[in-house]
Amino acid sequence: MTKLALRDWASVAEIIGTIAVVVSLLFVAYSVNHNTEVLQSLNDNLLYEYDEHGISDIVNDPSMAAILVKLDNNEPLTATENERFLQYRYRTLNMWELAHDRYVEGLFPEEKWVGWSASLGYTVTRGPRRLPKEVWETNKIMYGSDFGLIVDQAYAAED
């Protein structure tokens, strides 16, 4: 058996180094994919938690439930009730924009975005509990322009 020359050892080290680089790249790809899945899951949880707060407002606060019943019955709201309702609906808009932003960032799968957007769009722009379009027009400057176009389209679909 002959001893390996320095040149031969260099070739072996180069092969081992190449294998190590390939294994490292595979690990990085796995880690990025896993991190994306974790971020998507965290976004899901964040939106569900946000939604739960809105539901909790109604369940735990009879006066908020009464405001929604008044709206469903086309009864006028007091100034205080109207302000409470608008703040409640702004929170829905904020949740919708959050879902949109996460979708644009690639952190929210398209099929979930489509479902959330349709549901939140309906909630904001339809029925007796909708945010009045004139209120949206006055306040849409607080939201991103891309998201504003989506809300405008939801209102336009009603017209």
Side-chain angles (χ1 to χ4, degrees):
M1 188 161 138
T2 62
K3 290 186 173 184
L4 294 176
L6 185 57
R7 178 184 299 160
D8 297 330
W9 281 112
S11 296
V12 170
E14 188 175 334
I15 291 169
I16 292 172
T18 301
I19 292 170
V21 167
V22 169
V23 169
S24 296
L25 288 174
L26 290 172
F27 179 73
V28 167
Y30 168 79
S31 296
V32 167
N33 186 46
H34 180 70
N35 287 343
T36 301
E37 290 171 1
V38 168
L39 287 172
Q40 288 175 346
S41 178
L42 289 172
N43 282 321
D44 284 352
N45 291 344
L46 179 64
L47 287 170
Y48 286 121
E49 188 176 310
Y50 217 144
D51 194 39
E52 179 58 34
H53 284 295
I55 293 168
S56 182
D57 285 348
I58 299 165
V59 171
N60 296 324
D61 184 355
S63 65
M64 189 64 209
I67 290 170
L68 298 177
V69 169
K70 276 184 160 183
L71 288 167
D72 290 343
N73 293 328
N74 292 317
E75 297 174 20
L77 300 179
T78 67
T80 302
E81 290 172 331
N82 189 57
E83 183 60 29
R84 287 187 67 205
F85 171 72
L86 291 178
Q87 294 305 318
Y88 173 79
R89 195 47 71 222
Y90 289 145
R91 187 167 47 193
T92 308
L93 268 172
N94 293 341
M95 183 170 48
W96 191 8
E97 185 178 40
L98 176 66
H100 170 262
D101 291 349
R102 295 304 181 263
Y103 169 68
V104 169
E105 293 165 355
L107 300 174
F108 201 51
E110 184 168 2
E111 63 276 2
K112 287 190 178 191
W113 159 246
V114 168
W116 276 94
S117 184
S119 175
L120 295 170
Y122 182 87
T123 300
V124 170
T125 65
R126 304 278 187 279
R129 297 180 184 186
R130 74 186 173 284
L131 181 70
K133 188 174 182 180
E134 58 275 7
V135 173
W136 163 248
E137 292 295 335
T138 302
N139 291 286
K140 73 179 178 180
I141 193 164
M142 297 184 303
Y143 296 90
S145 58
D146 290 346
F147 175 68
L149 291 173
I150 291 169
V151 178
D152 287 340
Q153 290 170 352
Y155 275 109
E158 182 182 344
D159 297 340

